[in-house]
Amino acid sequence: MAPNDSIVVINAGSSSIKFSLYSGAALALTFKGKIENLYSGVTRFSAQDAQGHSIGEHSWADAPLNHEAGMRFLIDFAQSHLDGHRVVAVGHRIVHGGVAYSGPRRLDAGVLAALEKLIPLAPLHLPHNLAPVRAVMAMAPDVPQMGCFDTAFHVGQPPEAQAFALPARITEQGVRRYGFHGLSYEYIASRLPDADPSLAGAKVVAAHLGNGASMCAMAAGRSVASSMGFTAVDGLPMGTRCGALDPGVVLYLIEQLGMDVGAVQKLLYQESGLLGVSGISSDMRTLEQSGDPRAKAAIALMVYRIGRELGSLAAALGGLDALVFSGGIGENSTALRAAVCRDAAWLGVKLDAGANDASPRGVARISAADSRVAVWVVPANEELMIARHTQTLLEHS
């Protein structure tokens, strides 16, 4: 890539679009931003340069935007702020790649059609991941687009880590454990050896904790097991998702409580987790500031489940050298990190309270010098991982 060549990264959720512009062979961040509250309320746009200074803000109070309108606005904004840079490709985060897509792929009409068939596997994510792809195809058809899949990092897990104990006729339909947040874990795996070379071959459990939350066991930078399975509703309790659930509960909801599939899906994805247990909020910051016993119960349940998953993933690894916190909660909640580490003392985890309370903003070790298990905070950067994959695909296309 020439110095002025740039890659746009799009990370689209159900009600938001995050975007970043990376330039040159070194993929230097030029600017980034996001549109929030698509479809409802007041849609807001904000953008910052590489130093964090605001370079644009806007809101739509009367007519909230959809994904297509949001992408149109972002493209117009980017074109007006390119300042000599030329967009050579667009990289997208796509939550689910199914069995067929085990690595980044160039997106065309055929790939989009195949991915649309996977929507039942990620109904609240995949439609919104694909909407910006179609928008860019319509508005800038000559710009190459690359899809980077959150499931791809976990493809190399042992067969037993991917299998459910179901008949082969079901497994052959693609019903297996996929794992998610792979782009985040791949970035963590790339950063840890820079921070401590001894971690290159280490047994690591990483916790990506945010509105969506999961954990991953990695051996020498490769995924061995993960807390999320067939869908992104499995594993840990999340902002509004329930996490691991006895499948008998779903049968009970349908057979005894008379709930239809749509109602069950809404309950598990949008009305459970921290929001459902607390009855207050899905936001950890709000819950930590609340004196309501229900808020404390929601946090305690999440800490407990993290501890259970940590033990399980350490068993899958056959030991543990390092624990990593990432994601919005993992990076910012000193109280949750302290609680998780306290409960993990049996594994040899010993926190440096001062380092933890300092709220590190970059890659930082927060464990005590004599801790048998190193504890790190690694800020999530899925966007840079997507830019790297997009650059590689572009160079080999």
Side-chain angles (χ1 to χ4, degrees):
M1 287 174 57
N4 288 334
D5 286 349
S6 298
I7 290 172
V8 172
V9 171
I10 301 295
N11 186 344
S14 59
S15 62
S16 66
I17 304 174
K18 298 178 183 178
F19 73 99
S20 307
L21 185 81
Y22 294 90
S23 301
L27 296 176
L29 179 65
T30 303
F31 58 79
K32 64 178 180 179
K34 59 185 174 181
I35 291 183
E36 300 177 288
N37 297 326
L38 296 170
Y39 300 98
S40 63
V42 178
T43 300
R44 292 187 174 87
F45 162 77
S46 61
Q48 301 82 37
D49 62 18
Q51 289 72 44
H53 303 132
S54 176
I55 58 173
E57 291 186 2
H58 196 77
S59 63
W60 296 262
D62 299 327
L65 304 186
N66 58 20
H67 277 84
E68 182 176 356
M71 281 304 303
R72 187 174 298 278
F73 178 85
L74 291 181
I75 288 174
D76 290 342
F77 175 85
Q79 288 177 336
S80 66
H81 287 74
L82 285 176
D83 193 25
H85 293 277
R86 180 175 70 100
V87 175
V88 295
V90 178
H92 296 267
R93 175 185 175 231
I94 298 180
V95 165
H96 214 304
V99 176
Y101 299 104
S102 58
R105 285 288 297 271
R106 183 161 180 164
L107 301 173
D108 55 26
V111 174
L112 273 185
L115 292 175
E116 285 175 350
K117 296 178 181 179
L118 300 178
I119 286 175
L121 303 185
L124 299 188
H125 295 84
L126 206 46
H128 305 297
N129 297 159
L130 301 181
V133 180
R134 295 193 199 92
V136 174
M137 281 183 174
M139 289 180 275
D142 295 330
V143 177
Q145 298 191 79
M146 315 300 184
C148 301
F149 303 97
D150 251 341
T151 49
F153 183 66
H154 306 294
V155 166
Q157 289 180 357
E160 59 270 22
Q162 300 184 42
F164 292 116
L166 292 170
R169 68 179 186 275
I170 303 298
T171 301
E172 289 165 1
Q173 299 298 314
V175 179
R176 64 177 182 83
R177 298 183 66 87
Y178 289 97
F180 298 88
H181 290 135
L183 291 163
S184 179
Y185 294 127
E186 188 177 8
Y187 177 75
I188 290 169
S190 74
R191 292 290 287 117
L192 281 178
D194 295 335
D196 182 349
S198 69
L199 295 177
K203 298 175 179 178
V204 177
V205 171
H208 178 102
L209 308 175
N211 191 50
S214 71
M215 297 172 70
C216 177
M218 299 184 289
R222 299 179 65 86
S223 177
V224 172
S226 58
S227 62
M228 280 184 172
F230 180 61
T231 68
V233 76
D234 194 15
L236 301 175
M238 304 170 223
T240 62
R241 286 172 256 169
C242 63
L245 187 71
D246 181 342
V249 173
V250 176
L251 298 178
Y252 180 84
L253 296 175
I254 295 171
E255 294 177 350
Q256 301 300 320
L257 301 188
M259 297 175 69
D260 62 21
V261 172
V264 172
Q265 178 175 290
K266 184 177 180 181
L267 173 69
L268 302 187
Y269 278 92
Q270 297 175 300
E271 299 175 343
S272 299
L274 295 175
L275 174 64
V277 176
S278 71
I280 298 170
S281 175
S282 63
D283 192 314
M284 179 63 75
R285 293 166 296 187
T286 300
L287 298 180
E288 288 183 336
Q289 293 167 5
S290 173
D292 193 309
R294 297 175 301 166
K296 298 183 184 302
I299 295 171
L301 178 57
M302 187 172 195
V303 169
Y304 173 76
R305 289 300 312 173
I306 292 171
R308 283 277 298 269
E309 289 290 348
L310 179 58
S312 172
L313 294 172
L317 286 167
L320 185 64
D321 299 314
L323 170 64
V324 178
F325 291 96
S326 191
I329 296 173
E331 295 165 31
N332 296 299
S333 177
T334 58
L336 181 130
R337 292 196 302 260
V340 169
C341 290
R342 178 196 64 227
D343 290 351
W346 67 277
L347 278 167
V349 173
K350 185 175 180 181
L351 193 66
D352 181 326
N356 182 52
D357 292 343
S359 299
R361 293 302 173 189
V363 177
R365 177 170 173 156
I366 59 170
S367 51
D370 59 345
S371 179
R372 295 200 306 275
V373 173
V375 183
W376 291 81
V377 175
V378 178
N381 200 337
E382 295 155 307
E383 288 78 12
L384 179 56
M385 207 69 239
I386 295 169
R388 290 174 179 172
H389 284 309
T390 301
Q391 181 186 50
T392 299
L393 280 176
L394 193 63
E395 291 171 348
H396 290 87
S397 61

